Amino acid sequence: MALDDGWYTEEWAGQGSAISLKIARKLHEERSPYQTIEIYETESFGRLMTLDGLVMVTDRDNFIYHEMMSHPALFTHPHPRRVLIIGGGDCGTLREVLKHASVEVAEQVELDERVTRVAEQYFPQLCASNGDPRARFHFEDGIAFVARAAPDSYDVVIVDSTDPVGPAAGLFSEDFYRNCLRALAPQGLLVGQSESPLFHPDLIEAVHRAMRTAGFREVAMLHFPQCTYPSGWWSATLAAKDAKLPRFRETAAADRPFPTRYYNAAVHAGALAVPEYLRKSLA
Amino acid sequence: MALDDGWYTEEWAGQGSAISLKIARKLHEERSPYQTIEIYETESFGRLMTLDGLVMVTDRDNFIYHEMMSHPALFTHPHPRRVLIIGGGDCGTLREVLKHASVEVAEQVELDERVTRVAEQYFPQLCASNGDPRARFHFEDGIAFVARAAPDSYDVVIVDSTDPVGPAAGLFSEDFYRNCLRALAPQGLLVGQSESPLFHPDLIEAVHRAMRTAGFREVAMLHFPQCTYPSGWWSATLAAKDAKLPRFRETAAADRPFPTRYYNAAVHAGALAVPEYLRKSLA
């Protein structure tokens, strides 16, 4: 069958595959200084935000990504107080970070302020914590921000970026990771989204190598389903500044005083299981 | 963008979403007594088999499904000797089952012999163990086969079925599970594919209930990525006949003398982690 015009389709670049979501109507379209931002009402996935034609977030499945970009790192650090989010313009990761009572400040550095403003309008639940007094917003280039950050400024840095093309490519570089390392305090952790284990194993390996070469002492992959991202399977890469990655705070994760929908202590442990075909290359 | 005619598209029924694979050419099409069987050469997923227009198997991603339908059950049973596979016509699950040296006989009951014959022609690697003297093929209705199976005949029953519509609907019923229970020997295990945790949580809950009502003592979900199945995320449900599900044989899994690509002991443990939103309903 061929799909009619009532579908939004993202072709998964270089992978001979595509996902389509049935659209009820387009709610918004604008050209920001950086990209085209579109919002759709879909038939079965709630609202959808795309940037330059690529799926960023849907109401239905974003909970997995946002929880897995935040809670594993925050339950691995012994006492995360200062968190830096690079990217993350839809504010879903920020919302999860701010669920942690130990967090005193969460700074978010998003290049495109319009992404956040549009998210505030169309994804109010993701932006529910934007008014939290611990949240600070910077709308500028994350690479430059980290390059000039004071040493030992953050306990956790989260790179919630778009794909490694265009302005986001630098967020996957050894130079950037070296600046993150410097900005992190002792016991600091870096976590970055690192694409699909099925489609992009070479990228995941390259991220591991670059983080190690930049000086991170130990690097680990987390993986989780993410229906509307390429292959439906996604990863994050977690790195420890100055020691082996500690075992995560399992009791605190199990007893967390806030709700989650995907994350729990067992899911956290399970997400660290490396598929056999990646074991050697990530060792 | 809209996709041109060079794509195979499966609309995910009732989910307002679809996956598409870019096609190089169609290799085969036939109408068997039960369904339309098509084989395509894709651009990036190797060969693709569809039944009545639904993706069954691709060269690129079938390893995850086949390994997760077999090894978790076989490494949970203390000594699996007699295995029954219901469905499984592409023979990929059978191949994985026969990797276990303890298995003395693996019977496969596939309704449509043409699926297996076409798989032998177009997916020879999945059928590499079809000539194993321990393999026995029955081409008939699996529901009737299990209904007349002698009690205590099998150590593990694997239901490697299509979706719960049409002839396969009965493979998700309490009556069928009751017959499986009877056919299983003491310590016996049943495992069945149980659709997407994102799209079909109600079905997964119904399968759990039906297995328990049929008399299985404990039921657990396994989940894993599966790019070309609806939502890219899939599940299997594992049930124990007459005792709590034992902890799996972790050392044997770690020391398995055969190759796998996705499965290993850590992946096995991780696949049992129940996402938070399913915890209460599956408890």
Side-chain angles (χ1 to χ4, degrees), chain A residues 16 18 20 22 261 264 274 277, chain B residues 16 18 20 22 261 264 274 277:
Chain A
S20 301
K22 196 159 175 52
R261 291 176 60 198
N264 57 42
V274 181
Y277 73 94
Chain B
S20 301
K22 195 158 175 53
R261 291 176 61 200
N264 58 42
V274 181
Y277 72 94

Side-chain angles (χ1 to χ4, degrees), chain B residues 28 37 39 47 49 57 88-92 113-128 130:
Chain B
H28 182 81
I37 305 170
I39 307 287
R47 287 179 176 172
M49 177 192 283
V57 59
D90 62 40
C91 303
E113 180 170 359
R114 289 303 305 156
V115 172
T116 297
R117 299 303 166 220
V118 170
E120 286 171 338
Q121 185 173 356
Y122 292 101
F123 293 88
Q125 71 291 8
L126 295 183
C127 298
N130 286 11

Side-chain angles (χ1 to χ4, degrees), chain A residues 1-3 7 9 11-12 14-22 43-45 60-61 63-64 198-199 223 225 227 231-233 256 260-264 266-267 270 273-277 279, chain B residues 1 3 5 7 9 11-12 14-22 43-45 60-61 63-64 198-199 223 225 227 231-233 256 260-264 266-267 270 273-277 279:
Chain A
M1 57 161 289
L3 301 172
W7 294 74
T9 293
E11 188 176 337
W12 292 336
Q15 303 294 338
S17 45
I19 192 169
S20 301
L21 298 177
K22 196 159 175 52
E43 187 183 272
S44 302
F45 279 71
R60 187 171 185 181
D61 71 344
F63 66 101
I64 301 179
L198 186 70
F199 285 173
H223 62 101
C227 175
S231 85
W233 184 22
R256 67 199 178 285
T260 57
R261 291 176 60 198
Y262 182 68
Y263 180 86
N264 57 42
V267 161
V274 181
E276 188 63 15
Y277 73 94
R279 277 217 308 168
Chain B
M1 58 160 288
L3 301 172
D5 288 347
W7 294 75
T9 293
E11 188 176 336
W12 291 335
Q15 302 294 338
S17 45
I19 193 168
S20 301
L21 298 177
K22 195 158 175 53
E43 186 182 274
S44 302
F45 279 71
R60 187 171 187 181
D61 72 343
F63 66 101
I64 301 179
L198 186 70
F199 285 174
H223 63 101
C227 175
S231 85
W233 184 23
R256 67 198 179 286
T260 56
R261 291 176 61 200
Y262 183 69
Y263 180 86
N264 58 42
V267 161
V274 181
E276 188 63 16
Y277 72 94
R279 276 218 308 168

Side-chain angles (χ1 to χ4, degrees), chain A residues 59-134:
Chain A
D59 277 330
R60 187 171 185 181
D61 71 344
N62 79 78
F63 66 101
I64 301 179
Y65 176 82
H66 288 135
E67 292 180 12
M68 296 306 284
M69 287 298 294
S70 52
H71 303 312
L74 271 70
F75 279 122
T76 301
H77 192 283
H79 189 74
R81 295 186 300 116
R82 299 160 299 170
V83 177
L84 175 65
I85 301 167
I86 303 296
D90 63 39
C91 304
T93 298
L94 177 66
R95 183 185 67 172
E96 297 304 314
V97 165
L98 291 169
K99 288 179 177 176
H100 291 254
S102 69
V103 171
E104 296 168 4
V105 59
E107 294 191 74
Q108 176 155 295
V109 185
E110 162 63 48
L111 182 63
D112 190 348
E113 179 170 359
R114 290 303 306 156
V115 171
T116 298
R117 299 303 166 222
V118 169
E120 286 171 337
Q121 184 173 358
Y122 292 101
F123 292 88
Q125 71 291 5
L126 295 183
C127 299
S129 299
N130 287 10
D132 188 307
R134 299 172 295 163

Side-chain angles (χ1 to χ4, degrees), chain B residues 6-60:
Chain B
W7 294 75
Y8 165 86
T9 293
E10 176 183 333
E11 188 176 336
W12 291 335
Q15 302 294 338
S17 45
I19 193 168
S20 301
L21 298 177
K22 195 158 175 53
I23 298 303
R25 62 189 193 284
K26 183 183 279 193
L27 299 175
H28 182 81
E29 175 171 355
E30 71 176 72
R31 174 86 204 150
S32 81
Y34 302 100
Q35 54 207 338
T36 298
I37 305 170
E38 290 165 287
I39 307 287
Y40 299 89
E41 187 72 43
T42 70
E43 186 182 274
S44 302
F45 279 71
R47 287 179 176 172
L48 160 69
M49 177 192 283
T50 68
L51 297 178
D52 285 344
L54 301 179
V55 173
M56 288 299 117
V57 59
T58 82
D59 277 331
R60 187 171 187 181

